[in-house]
């Protein structure tokens, strides 16, 4: 499995611009990070440098409660992986990402953080 790219997500943070949420603000990004297989917490932090540890833990727990992510503890090593239900999200999520790429300029132009309470 290849390492996660630190530049995997745009600085504008697609989670802010995406009209679709999975779990919470960071859920879709975490699902994308887990698409290639199980990852350790520290690996997930690489492309998600803007998320606080507290928010990432909360997001992972939310995805776990929703049945989308499983946490595996093997001794002192903890990994997170998509469940079959979580994997089933990859096709629509990839379609949503393709749509976002196609409409990125429009999304950026329309983005109004004050209207969202950001």
């Amino acid at each position: 499995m290849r390492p996660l790219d630190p530049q995997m997500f745009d600085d504008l943070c697609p989670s802010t611009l995406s009209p679709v949420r999975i779990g919470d603000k960071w859920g879709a990004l975490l699902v994308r990070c887990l698409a290639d297989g199980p990852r350790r917490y520290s690996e997930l932090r690489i492309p998600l440098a803007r998320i606080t540890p507290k928010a990432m833990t909360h997001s992972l727990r939310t995805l776990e409660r929703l049945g989308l992510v499983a946490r595996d503890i093997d001794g002192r090593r903890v990994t997170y992986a998509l469940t079959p239900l979580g994997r089933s999200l990859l096709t629509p999520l990839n379609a949503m990402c393709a749509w976002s790429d196609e409409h990125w300029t429009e999304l950026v132009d329309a983005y109004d953080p004050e209207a969202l309470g950001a």
Side-chain angles (χ1 to χ4, degrees):
M1 178 176 7
R2 61 184 164 79
L4 291 172
D5 179 4
Q7 303 301 317
M8 188 173 177
F9 302 112
D10 191 282
D11 284 341
L12 286 174
C13 186
S15 66
T16 303
L17 298 177
S18 176
V20 174
R21 298 283 166 109
I22 296 172
D24 61 21
K25 176 180 177 177
W26 299 99
L29 301 182
L30 285 163
V31 168
R32 289 283 305 240
C33 289
L34 294 169
D36 289 338
R39 300 283 182 172
R40 295 184 72 184
Y41 185 93
S42 59
E43 289 179 278
L44 295 170
R45 294 277 305 151
I46 293 169
L48 297 172
R50 290 181 309 273
I51 187 173
T52 66
K54 180 180 177 181
M56 190 161 116
T57 298
H58 174 76
S59 290
L60 286 165
R61 287 181 181 161
T62 297
L63 293 172
E64 200 175 350
R65 277 193 302 275
L66 292 170
L68 304 175
V69 169
R71 184 172 61 145
D72 182 52
I73 304 170
D74 182 18
R76 292 182 359 172
R77 181 182 170 106
V78 178
T79 57
Y80 296 90
L82 293 176
T83 63
L85 182 61
R87 292 204 75 68
S88 74
L89 274 174
L90 292 175
T91 299
L93 182 58
N94 289 337
M96 188 65 214
C97 290
W99 178 88
S100 294
D101 285 345
E102 183 179 333
H103 296 282
W104 185 251
T105 303
E106 296 163 86
L107 289 167
V108 171
D109 290 346
Y111 180 66
D112 180 3
E114 291 179 16
L116 298 174

Coordinates of all heavy atoms in Angstrom, one line a residue, residues 4 16 26 33 38-39 59 76 78-80 88 91 95 102 105:
L4 N 0.1 7.8 2.2 CA -0.9 8.9 1.9 C -0.1 10.1 1.5 O 0.9 10.4 2.1 CB -1.8 9.2 3.1 CG -2.8 8.1 3.4 CD1 -3.5 8.4 4.7 CD2 -3.8 7.9 2.3
T16 N -15.2 21.7 3.5 CA -16.0 23.0 3.7 C -16.9 23.2 2.5 O -18.0 23.7 2.6 CB -15.1 24.2 3.9 OG1 -14.2 23.9 5.0 CG2 -15.8 25.4 4.2
W26 N -15.4 16.1 8.5 CA -14.2 15.4 8.1 C -14.4 13.9 7.6 O -13.5 13.3 7.1 CB -13.2 15.4 9.2 CG -12.8 16.8 9.6 CD1 -13.3 17.5 10.7 CD2 -11.8 17.6 9.0 NE1 -12.7 18.7 10.8 CE2 -11.8 18.8 9.7 CE3 -11.0 17.5 7.9 CZ2 -11.0 19.9 9.4 CZ3 -10.2 18.6 7.5 CH2 -10.2 19.7 8.3
C33 N -9.2 8.6 2.7 CA -7.9 8.1 3.2 C -7.9 6.6 3.5 O -6.8 6.0 3.4 CB -7.6 8.9 4.5 SG -7.2 10.6 4.3
P38 N -6.4 -0.4 5.6 CA -6.3 0.0 6.9 C -5.1 1.0 7.1 O -4.1 0.9 6.4 CB -6.0 -1.2 7.7 CG -6.5 -2.4 6.9 CD -6.3 -1.9 5.5
R39 N -5.3 2.0 8.0 CA -4.3 3.0 8.3 C -4.2 3.2 9.8 O -5.2 3.1 10.5 CB -4.7 4.3 7.6 CG -4.8 4.3 6.1 CD -3.4 4.3 5.5 NE -3.6 4.3 4.0 CZ -2.6 4.4 3.2 NH1 -1.3 4.5 3.7 NH2 -2.8 4.4 1.9
S59 N -14.4 12.3 14.8 CA -14.8 11.9 13.5 C -14.7 10.4 13.3 O -15.6 9.8 12.8 CB -14.1 12.6 12.4 OG -14.4 14.0 12.3
R76 N -0.4 -2.9 20.9 CA -0.4 -1.5 21.1 C -0.6 -0.8 19.7 O -0.7 0.4 19.7 CB 0.9 -1.0 21.7 CG 1.1 -1.5 23.1 CD 2.3 -1.0 23.8 NE 3.2 -0.2 23.0 CZ 4.3 0.4 23.4 NH1 4.6 0.3 24.7 NH2 5.1 1.1 22.6
V78 N -3.0 0.3 16.8 CA -4.4 0.6 16.5 C -4.5 1.0 15.0 O -3.8 1.9 14.6 CB -5.0 1.7 17.4 CG1 -6.5 1.9 17.0 CG2 -4.9 1.3 18.8
T79 N -5.4 0.3 14.3 CA -5.6 0.7 12.9 C -7.1 0.9 12.6 O -7.9 0.4 13.4 CB -5.1 -0.4 11.9 OG1 -5.7 -1.6 12.2 CG2 -3.6 -0.5 11.9
Y80 N -7.4 1.7 11.7 CA -8.8 2.0 11.2 C -8.9 1.5 9.8 O -8.0 1.6 9.0 CB -9.0 3.5 11.3 CG -8.9 4.0 12.7 CD1 -7.7 4.5 13.2 CD2 -10.1 4.0 13.5 CE1 -7.7 5.0 14.5 CE2 -10.0 4.5 14.8 CZ -8.8 5.0 15.3 OH -8.7 5.4 16.6
S88 N -18.8 0.4 0.6 CA -19.9 0.7 -0.3 C -20.1 2.2 -0.6 O -20.7 2.5 -1.6 CB -21.2 0.0 0.2 OG -21.8 0.8 1.2
T91 N -18.0 4.2 -4.2 CA -18.5 4.5 -5.5 C -19.2 5.9 -5.6 O -18.9 6.7 -6.4 CB -19.3 3.4 -6.1 OG1 -18.5 2.2 -6.1 CG2 -19.9 3.7 -7.4
A95 N -17.9 9.5 -7.2 CA -18.7 10.3 -8.1 C -18.9 11.7 -7.6 O -18.8 12.7 -8.4 CB -20.1 9.6 -8.3
E102 N -15.2 18.8 -11.2 CA -15.7 19.5 -12.4 C -16.3 20.9 -12.1 O -16.2 21.8 -12.9 CB -16.9 18.6 -13.0 CG -17.5 19.1 -14.2 CD -18.6 18.2 -14.8 OE1 -18.5 17.0 -14.5 OE2 -19.5 18.7 -15.4
T105 N -14.4 25.5 -9.6 CA -14.3 27.0 -9.7 C -15.7 27.6 -9.3 O -15.7 28.6 -8.5 CB -14.0 27.4 -11.1 OG1 -12.8 26.8 -11.5 CG2 -13.9 28.9 -11.3

